[in-house]
Amino acid sequence: MNIEKNMGKVDRIIRATLAVVIAILYFTGSISGTVASVLGVFAVVLLLTSSTGVCPGYMPFGISTMEKKK
């Protein structure tokens, strides 16, 4: 199955950066408990979508942050 990428470079970098920030907050003890669990799941989703270049949430709306081909 070949799913077309719908995330541009900047979108992917922002998502990966947010995931790293969440990880840093967790490992430094700045977040804990339920908040850490929810943000941890969110960070995993951000990493998965940034690594694949596909955001399932964009699909129903036809959103794409990919650069337009000339």
Side-chain angles (χ1 to χ4, degrees), residues 39-61:
L39 288 177
V41 170
F42 184 62
V44 169
V45 170
L46 290 174
L47 280 177
L48 287 173
T49 57
S50 68
S51 66
T52 61
V54 177
C55 178
Y58 287 177
M59 289 179 184
F61 304 104

Side-chain angles (χ1 to χ4, degrees), residues 14 16 21 70:
I14 290 170
V21 168
K70 293 180 180 181

Side-chain angles (χ1 to χ4, degrees), residues 6-22 42-43 45-55 58 65-67:
N6 60 4
M7 291 175 54
K9 185 177 181 178
V10 173
D11 193 357
R12 294 171 77 175
I13 290 170
I14 290 170
R15 288 171 185 249
T17 303
L18 285 173
V20 170
V21 168
I22 292 169
F42 184 62
V45 170
L46 290 174
L47 280 177
L48 287 173
T49 57
S50 68
S51 66
T52 61
V54 177
C55 178
Y58 287 177
T65 58
M66 296 282 294
E67 290 184 13

Side-chain angles (χ1 to χ4, degrees), residues 22 24-40:
I22 292 169
I24 290 169
L25 290 173
Y26 175 76
F27 288 114
T28 60
S30 296
I31 57 174
S32 61
T34 304
V35 172
S37 297
V38 170
L39 288 177

